[in-house]
Amino acid sequence: MKSTIPRLQKIFFAVFLGATLSVFCFHYFYVWPRDRCVARGSDYAWAGRWMKCAKLYSIETLTQRPLNVPPINTDPRKMEGPRAEHSPKK
């Protein structure tokens, strides 16, 4: 029985150390970078899958289209395309 207690102490200490290290690594690699990204403001978004912080851009910025231009392709007749049953057969 005397040899069992020190061995159990070492096992519990190793489990405690492993759990503490895993929680620290989770916070270091995921929680703290996410919090820094969120603290930057609403212009930034956190992508948890890739663990990246990215700046959000509007579609107008990416396409360099002015904000005051009306939307294009809103006429239903212009949006119709060729249908499969009307395609020419070879």
Side-chain angles (χ1 to χ4, degrees):
M1 187 71 175
K2 287 185 178 184
S3 65
T4 307
I5 299 294
R7 187 173 54 197
L8 275 176
Q9 286 177 337
K10 291 176 185 174
I11 290 171
F12 278 114
F13 181 71
V15 168
F16 172 76
L17 193 63
T20 304
L21 221 75
S22 64
V23 168
F24 177 77
C25 287
F26 174 73
H27 277 77
Y28 184 78
F29 289 112
Y30 187 79
V31 175
W32 295 335
R34 183 194 63 201
D35 290 347
R36 279 194 303 266
C37 181
V38 170
R40 291 173 92 175
S42 62
D43 289 344
Y44 290 89
W46 175 254
R49 183 175 181 182
W50 298 279
M51 292 193 294
K52 300 277 183 183
C53 185
K55 183 166 176 51
L56 296 176
Y57 290 103
S58 66
I59 192 71
E60 289 84 8
T61 303
L62 293 174
T63 59
Q64 297 179 352
R65 184 180 169 149
L67 290 173
N68 57 357
V69 176
I72 57 174
N73 295 337
T74 55
D75 187 13
R77 289 175 285 139
K78 289 182 181 177
M79 292 193 314
E80 289 180 9
R83 295 200 175 113
E85 62 263 12
H86 294 295
S87 63
K89 295 181 180 180
K90 292 183 181 180

